[in-house]
Amino acid sequence: MKTFFLTSLLFLSSILGAAAQQPDADDILRTARYVATLQDTSLTGVLRKNNAKTNIALFLHENEGIEFQVLEGKVWKKFQLKLTDDEYDLFEGVGKSIKRFDKKRITQPVMGTDLTYEDLAMSFLYWPNSTVLGEENLGIGRDAWKVRLVNPKAAGLYKTVDVWVHKASGALMRINGYRADGKCIKVFEVTDIMRVGGGEYSIKTMKVQSYGEDSRTTGITYLEFEKPKAAGPQGLR
C-alpha cells in the first residue's frame, strides 16, 4: 500500500511538473505577435512569386496590433489591424484618412501572390480561446509549441489554424490554415529568423504554399524581410 501510494505521488508530481512547464496558449501567442521593441522601426521586404516581386513594409505598434503596407506602382497602400481586449478589426489608409477595410476583400490575393490581406494582417494570432496541443520537433534546434486557434467569426478563409512557435525564441515557425471541412488550404513555413530590436526574434524568410480542393499545390510565394531599419515608409500613426 505504501509503495502504491508513493508511486501514485511520484506519477502525479511528474504530471504536475510537465503541466507547469507548458506555458499558457495566450502567452505563447503573445510572444509570437512580434515584439514591442519594434514599435518605432519598420521591417521592409518583398513578396516574391515566380519572377514577380512586390515591396512591402511592416510596422509593429505596442498594444495596437500590426500595420502593413504594399507598394502598388509608386504608391504605398496602408493597412492596419487594430485591437481591443476581445476583438480585432482591419482598416485601410485612403489618402489622409483611415476607413474600415471591406471584409469582402479580406480573402483577396495581394498583388497576385498566395498571401491574402487576412494573411498579412495575421489576424488569426488574435483569435481567443486558443489551445496548446503539445510539443513538436520541426528539425534540429526547432522544438516548438503547437497551438490550435478556432475562428470566432464567419469572415475569412480559415475555420481553424494551427501555429508552431519556437520554444527558445518565441518566433513563429509554421502556420497551417484549414477550411471548415478540415482540409489544409495553406501552409506558411518560416525558413529563417533574425534577431531584431532588443535581442528578440522575428521572421526573415517565409514560404507560403496554397492547396486546391484536390490537395495539390496551386501556388508558392516567398515573404522575405530585411534587417529592421530606422528609416522607411511612414506608418498611419
Side-chain angles (χ1 to χ4, degrees), residues 86-152:
D86 57 359
E87 64 179 359
Y88 56 87
D89 214 340
L90 186 62
F91 290 80
E92 179 178 8
V94 180
K96 295 184 179 180
S97 63
I98 301 175
K99 69 174 184 179
R100 183 172 275 102
F101 189 81
D102 184 357
K103 291 184 177 180
K104 294 179 181 179
R105 296 169 51 208
I106 195 74
T107 59
Q108 289 182 358
V110 177
M111 298 296 288
T113 67
D114 293 278
L115 279 93
T116 65
Y117 292 99
E118 177 185 22
D119 296 336
L120 280 181
M122 289 195 174
S123 55
F124 41 79
L125 291 180
Y126 301 90
W127 291 349
N129 303 320
S130 53
T131 304
V132 179
L133 297 183
E135 306 175 42
E136 284 192 16
N137 184 280
L138 302 180
I140 298 175
R142 290 161 61 92
D143 291 328
W145 297 112
K146 183 179 180 181
V147 181
R148 173 155 295 172
L149 305 102
V150 179
N151 194 342

Side-chain angles (χ1 to χ4, degrees), residues 5-22 135:
F5 181 68
L6 288 173
T7 303
S8 299
L9 280 179
L10 289 172
F11 178 70
L12 180 59
S13 297
S14 66
I15 293 176
L16 292 176
Q21 293 175 7
Q22 178 173 290
E135 306 175 42

Side-chain angles (χ1 to χ4, degrees), residues 17-192:
Q21 293 175 7
Q22 178 173 290
D24 182 76
D26 288 339
D27 292 335
I28 295 174
L29 293 174
R30 191 175 297 112
T31 302
R33 292 180 201 129
Y34 304 102
V35 291
T37 53
L38 287 176
Q39 60 181 312
D40 295 322
T41 61
S42 66
L43 293 175
T44 57
V46 296
L47 288 174
R48 177 170 59 86
K49 182 173 183 178
N50 300 325
N51 295 321
K53 289 185 178 181
T54 301
N55 291 329
I56 61 171
L58 186 70
F59 294 86
L60 305 141
H61 303 316
E62 186 177 13
N63 299 323
E64 292 184 25
I66 189 171
E67 178 186 332
F68 62 91
Q69 300 183 13
V70 179
L71 184 63
E72 293 190 13
K74 295 183 179 180
V75 178
W76 285 97
K77 287 198 170 182
K78 305 176 181 181
F79 307 89
Q80 189 175 63
L81 182 73
K82 290 190 174 182
L83 306 173
T84 63
D85 290 338
D86 57 359
E87 64 179 359
Y88 56 87
D89 214 340
L90 186 62
F91 290 80
E92 179 178 8
V94 180
K96 295 184 179 180
S97 63
I98 301 175
K99 69 174 184 179
R100 183 172 275 102
F101 189 81
D102 184 357
K103 291 184 177 180
K104 294 179 181 179
R105 296 169 51 208
I106 195 74
T107 59
Q108 289 182 358
V110 177
M111 298 296 288
T113 67
D114 293 278
L115 279 93
T116 65
Y117 292 99
E118 177 185 22
D119 296 336
L120 280 181
M122 289 195 174
S123 55
F124 41 79
L125 291 180
Y126 301 90
W127 291 349
N129 303 320
S130 53
T131 304
V132 179
L133 297 183
E135 306 175 42
E136 284 192 16
N137 184 280
L138 302 180
I140 298 175
R142 290 161 61 92
D143 291 328
W145 297 112
K146 183 179 180 181
V147 181
R148 173 155 295 172
L149 305 102
V150 179
N151 194 342
K153 299 182 179 181
L157 284 175
Y158 314 116
K159 178 59 179 177
T160 59
V161 171
D162 288 344
V163 301
W164 286 258
V165 181
H166 193 241
K167 291 176 66 175
S169 67
L172 287 170
M173 302 304 297
R174 183 183 177 97
I175 303 168
N176 286 12
Y178 304 91
R179 291 198 309 256
D181 61 6
K183 286 188 177 181
C184 182
I185 54 177
K186 198 171 295 184
V187 173
F188 309 73
E189 184 177 4
V190 176
T191 56
D192 197 7

